[in-house]
């Protein structure tokens, strides 16, 4: 998860404790080039990060967002060639994922927020001769982009426990696809509860952001420690140029500035560009409109400590960030989550 948060140190530490650590593919070209001092493109940087994580941890997965259209295929190929154990893909429907390159032993796992989305993906993947190896069901309490319209986030029907039964039914219809739930899961008891409700696994983000091994800078971790319930908001107009609601700490400097449209539009990273009518990647609403959109590429890179003096950081978290009161080693957290300690 997360630009510059979940890199090989965190993913490998999780794998060493028996979990599946997930690297975020976003902006890896810049982040790995800066770290190694060697200029790398998306394919090479992805290959490097997965290889390092597998060497140090055994298993390694990667999250590749559909919204990162320009780099999507190269991220997938780099991950597959490096032998990633899983590719998890959301922030849009990953309809073409199995068609990019034969996945061999790599599990392909879409992220959905409804049974309908899973149905659409399974139908499309069936035509490509593939069935999801598992599915992540992400509810509205998660960090990052949310797969709900802004007016649907607080609906009772969209609580994770209410979304699970129809998604489980749909997963059964396509051959018992394992369902991994995500969003607001915090304790061992939460995990036990969702497994009892029929989930086959859980995915967690926010608590791992607040670990020693997460690559988030101290400033980001401190913002998580300081965040109270009322500080965690869903950004929308101004919001993400990807068009999905995006959860942030409201004191994040880039979010606070965007409320006053203080940053003039400037596009120098281009990760979320879409194609124009000539097929060139030139379109992003944040390029031209700083009233409704913030520049998410620069905000998230800055939160990861990249370009920190030139751009303000944007801190994304899940709702449970308000419960985090200390930074712990991954081993300590995994022992707690697996019920070895309380
Ligand atoms: C800092 C942060 C960054 C995230 N980045 C991504 C991402 O790049 N792609 C994605 O699909 N999900 C992303 N997420 C969502 C997580 O993968 C996860 O599903 C979600 O946060 C789970 O909820 P929790 O944070 O309450 O555990 C991010 C979450 C956080 C907290
Ligand atoms: S305007 Fe900002 S958010 Fe949009 S593609 Fe360019 S750098 Fe990224």
């Amino acid at each position: 998860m997360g630009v510059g948060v979940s890199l090989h140190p965190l993913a490998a530490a999780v794998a060493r404790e028996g979990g599946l650590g997930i690297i975020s593919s976003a902006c890896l070209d810049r982040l790995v080039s800066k770290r190694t001092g060697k200029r790398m493109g998306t394919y090479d940087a992805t290959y490097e990060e997965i290889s390092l994580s597998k060497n140090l941890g055994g298993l390694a997965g990667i999250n590749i967002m559909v919204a990162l259209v320009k780099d999507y295929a190269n991220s997938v190929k780099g991950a597959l060639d490096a032998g990633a154990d899983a590719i998890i893909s959301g922030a849009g429907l990953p309809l073409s994922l199995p068609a990019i390159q034969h996945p061999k032993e790599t599990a392909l796992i879409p992220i959905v927020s409804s049974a309908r989305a899973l149905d659409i993906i399974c139908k499309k993947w069936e035509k490509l001769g593939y069935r999801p190896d598992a599915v992540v069901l992400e509810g509205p309490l998660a960090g990052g982009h949310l797969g709900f319209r802004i007016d649907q986030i607080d609906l009772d029907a969209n609580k994770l426990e209410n979304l699970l039964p129809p998604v489980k039914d749909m997963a059964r219809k396509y051959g018992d696809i394992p369902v991994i739930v995500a969003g607001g899961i915090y304790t061992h008891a939460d995990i036990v509860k969702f497994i009892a409700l029929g989930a086959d696994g859980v995915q967690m983000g926010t608590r791992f952001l607040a670990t020693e091994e997460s690559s988030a800078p101290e400033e980001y971790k401190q913002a998580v420690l300081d965040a109270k319930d009322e500080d965690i908001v869903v950004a929308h107009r101004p919001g993400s140029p990807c068009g999905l609601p995006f959860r942030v700490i409201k004191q994040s400097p880039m979010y606070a500035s965007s409320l006053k449209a203080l940053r003039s539009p400037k596009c120098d990273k281009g990760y979320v560009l879409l194609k124009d009518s000539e097929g060139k990647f030139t379109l992003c609403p944040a390029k031209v409109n700083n009233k409704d959109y913030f520049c998410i590429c620069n905000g998230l890179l800055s939160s990861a400590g990249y370009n920190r003096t030139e751009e303000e950081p944007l801190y994304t978290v899940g709702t449970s960030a308000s419960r985090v009161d200390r930074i712990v080693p991954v081993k300590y957290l995994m022992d707690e989550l697996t019920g070895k300690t309380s």
Side-chain angles (χ1 to χ4, degrees), residues 289-308:
N289 175 349
N290 64 351
K291 194 164 80 55
D292 297 317
Y293 303 101
F294 41 66
C295 179
I296 197 164
C297 302
N298 277 304
L300 294 184
L301 275 166
S302 172
S303 72
Y306 186 97
N307 256 6
R308 179 64 186 90

Side-chain angles (χ1 to χ4, degrees), residues 241 263 266-273 283-287 294-298:
R263 180 187 182 278
K266 183 179 83 171
C267 180
D268 58 352
K269 301 296 186 298
Y271 290 105
V272 300
L273 288 172
L283 302 177
C284 171
K287 237 173 131 170
F294 41 66
C295 179
I296 197 164
C297 302
N298 277 304

Side-chain angles (χ1 to χ4, degrees), residues 1-2 24 63 65 111 138 141-144 182-185 203-206 209 220 316-318 320:
M1 88 183 123
S24 163
N63 176 293
M65 289 191 283
I111 305 172
E138 198 182 68
L141 303 182
I185 292 157
Q203 171 174 284
M204 296 177 63
T206 302
L209 161 62
Y220 195 163
T316 184
V317 292
S320 62

Side-chain angles (χ1 to χ4, degrees), residues 92-307:
L93 298 183
L95 297 176
S96 66
L97 178 56
I100 292 173
Q101 182 174 306
H102 197 286
K104 295 188 189 146
E105 298 301 305
T106 304
L108 301 185
I109 305 177
I111 305 172
V112 301
S113 294
S114 68
R116 189 169 163 266
L118 179 58
D119 193 23
I120 295 169
I121 291 167
C122 288
K123 280 204 178 95
K124 177 71 201 281
W125 286 22
E126 252 177 6
K127 288 188 193 139
L128 300 169
Y130 206 87
R131 194 195 70 163
D133 295 285
V135 60
V136 172
L137 167 63
E138 198 182 68
L141 303 182
H145 288 99
L146 307 176
F148 301 89
R149 284 206 332 246
I150 189 78
D151 56 333
Q152 296 181 336
I153 288 173
D154 295 327
L155 294 182
D156 228 42
N158 286 335
K159 287 199 168 124
L160 190 55
E161 46 271 51
N162 296 334
L163 293 170
L164 180 56
V167 169
K168 246 335 246 190
D169 287 345
M170 190 62 72
R172 253 185 235 116
K173 179 179 149 193
Y174 284 96
D176 250 340
I177 300 167
V179 179
I180 299 160
V181 290
I185 292 157
Y186 198 81
T187 58
H188 173 66
D190 293 337
I191 297 172
V192 170
K193 173 184 132 183
F194 276 100
I195 300 293
L197 289 173
D200 299 284
V202 302
Q203 171 174 284
M204 296 177 63
T206 302
R207 286 206 83 180
F208 287 88
L209 161 62
T211 55
E212 287 174 3
E213 291 88 343
S214 121
S215 295
E218 289 312 309
E219 202 187 16
Y220 195 163
K221 293 180 186 173
Q222 190 58 48
V224 174
L225 292 176
D226 294 343
K228 301 186 199 54
D229 274 339
E230 60 273 24
D231 300 330
I232 300 162
V233 298
V234 178
H236 175 71
R237 312 240 158 172
S240 166
C242 300
L244 297 167
F246 187 73
R247 186 164 274 119
V248 297
I249 297 178
K250 75 175 182 197
Q251 291 88 351
S252 305
M254 178 172 276
Y255 181 64
S257 294
S258 76
L259 292 170
K260 300 184 198 148
L262 291 182
R263 180 187 182 278
S264 302
K266 183 179 83 171
C267 180
D268 58 352
K269 301 296 186 298
Y271 290 105
V272 300
L273 288 172
L274 295 177
K275 280 186 184 167
D276 59 23
S277 55
E278 289 170 22
K280 295 192 185 121
F281 284 101
T282 62
L283 302 177
C284 171
K287 237 173 131 170
V288 286
N289 175 349
N290 64 351
K291 194 164 80 55
D292 297 317
Y293 303 101
F294 41 66
C295 179
I296 197 164
C297 302
N298 277 304
L300 294 184
L301 275 166
S302 172
S303 72
Y306 186 97
N307 256 6

